[in-house]
Amino acid sequence: MKRKQTLSSLFLTVIGLFLALVFFSPILILLSNSFKSLKDIYLDVLALPNADTFIASNYPDAFEKLEFVKSFANSLVITVCSTVLILIFCSMAAWVLVRYKTRTSSVIFMLFASATLIPFQCVMLPLVRLMDKMHMMNRQGLILMYLGFGASLSIILFHGFIKNVPVELEDAARIDGCNMVQTFFLIVLPMLKTIMVTVAILNVMWIWNDFLLPQLMINKPGWQTLPLKTFLFFGQFSKKWDLATAGLIMCMLPIILFYIICQKHIVKGVTEGAVKG
């Protein structure tokens, strides 16, 4: 019996290592090519850089071309503002839908749930045209659109989690004289820490890496985010793969570090929210 368990564990370990290699191989290739010249990349994209071909200057060159500090600041402001608004408004909406049951609350929740099935491309052109008429083709308009597109999944996650929050605590707060706003911010919100981190991670990863929506809304000098700036390495007649690979690694590092720090909360938040959801 122990021998079978050992063999089964060994088999699962081998499968896991193989899958990890498959998933990480694109990143490893990207990292390897970021230390090679454009000529060496074209000669053999899979070859590792050696002492003769190793080039570290790609990173400072890409840093300068990307205007990294300004682009990083644009991405950071848009990501943080969008995520904070999503956390506040979606948690409030989910709490109201759970606690204040009406004839239309279930319909409203189903509308949010069904919105996750609608691809962005279906509403892309009409929405951009509407934002243009409202004179909101700027960072504020982009943040508002992220709030709208991120609301559906976020409300679903909050909705399932809030069902597990004891309603007796809210009743006690009302008896003590708290109004609706005070009850939410003083009693409910502190108990949503786990799911708040989960929703924040999912939205930060999506917003930070998004390319299409910023391209439609803020593709102007001085407003561009990191994904938009990296696209400048790929011209119509030439592609600077040496600088592009270095730039992409630099763009990935902040979000990878953020995910590593917070990833333990993802499974915990989703599973706890799914108990009664």
Side-chain angles (χ1 to χ4, degrees):
M1 185 67 179
K2 291 184 177 180
R3 185 178 179 182
K4 289 184 178 180
Q5 291 179 347
T6 303
L7 291 175
S8 176
S9 178
L10 180 62
F11 176 75
L12 292 176
T13 302
V14 172
I15 295 296
L17 291 173
F18 174 75
L19 292 176
L21 181 61
V22 171
F23 282 110
F24 279 106
S25 57
I27 299 176
L28 295 176
I29 293 172
L30 189 68
L31 181 63
S32 171
N33 287 312
S34 68
F35 293 104
K36 293 159 62 175
S37 66
L38 185 60
K39 176 183 176 181
D40 293 324
I41 292 175
Y42 279 124
L43 287 175
D44 191 352
V45 72
L46 297 178
L48 295 175
N50 53 43
D52 298 327
T53 60
F54 186 88
I55 296 177
S57 61
N58 288 340
Y59 282 88
D61 292 345
F63 188 92
E64 181 181 356
K65 296 286 185 182
L66 284 173
E67 297 180 332
F68 189 84
V69 175
K70 182 185 292 185
S71 303
F72 178 85
N74 290 336
S75 291
L76 186 64
V77 169
I78 291 171
T79 302
V80 171
C81 292
S82 301
T83 304
V84 169
L85 289 177
I86 288 172
L87 291 176
I88 294 174
F89 285 102
C90 293
S91 59
M92 292 172 66
W95 179 63
V96 171
L97 290 174
V98 172
R99 293 291 189 249
Y100 297 87
K101 290 290 185 181
T102 63
R103 294 181 179 179
T104 58
S105 60
S106 299
V107 176
I108 293 173
F109 177 72
M110 289 305 299
L111 288 175
F112 279 116
S114 61
T116 59
L117 304 175
I118 302 175
F120 168 69
Q121 290 78 6
C122 294
V123 297
M124 176 176 64
L125 294 179
L127 189 59
V128 171
R129 190 177 298 115
L130 176 63
M131 298 298 286
D132 187 30
K133 290 181 179 179
M134 296 172 62
H135 304 289
M136 295 192 66
M137 298 291 287
N138 48 37
R139 281 171 285 197
Q140 291 83 355
L142 179 61
I143 291 171
L144 182 63
M145 292 181 72
Y146 278 134
L147 172 61
F149 283 108
S152 300
L153 179 59
S154 300
I155 287 176
I156 291 173
L157 293 174
F158 277 121
H159 191 275
F161 190 91
I162 290 173
K163 288 181 178 180
N164 300 320
V165 176
V167 70
E168 291 79 9
L169 295 174
E170 301 171 32
D171 294 336
R174 293 190 187 94
I175 293 173
D176 290 337
C178 291
N179 57 32
M180 185 177 180
V181 176
Q182 291 173 328
T183 301
F184 176 77
F185 283 102
L186 298 179
I187 305 300
V188 178
L189 194 61
M191 292 188 291
L192 302 181
K193 179 182 176 181
T194 303
I195 193 64
M196 293 276 279
V197 175
T198 302
V199 174
I201 292 172
L202 296 176
N203 283 287
V204 164
M205 293 178 65
W206 157 55
I207 295 170
W208 182 273
N209 294 315
D210 188 35
F211 173 80
L212 183 56
L213 202 51
Q215 185 189 37
L216 295 171
M217 296 288 295
I218 58 168
N219 195 10
K220 303 174 183 177
W223 289 9
Q224 293 166 320
T225 58
L226 283 173
L228 287 179
K229 293 294 284 187
T230 54
F231 186 71
L232 298 178
F233 291 126
F234 303 98
Q236 183 177 359
F237 302 105
S238 64
K239 294 176 175 59
K240 300 178 181 179
W241 286 105
D242 50 346
L243 299 182
T245 51
L248 290 171
I249 292 293
M250 292 167 62
C251 296
M252 290 166 55
L253 284 177
I255 199 65
I256 289 175
L257 292 175
F258 176 78
Y259 179 79
I260 290 173
I261 294 171
C262 302
Q263 58 88 25
K264 65 179 181 179
H265 296 279
I266 292 182
V267 176
K268 185 178 179 182
V270 173
T271 52
E272 287 187 11
V275 172
K276 294 185 180 180

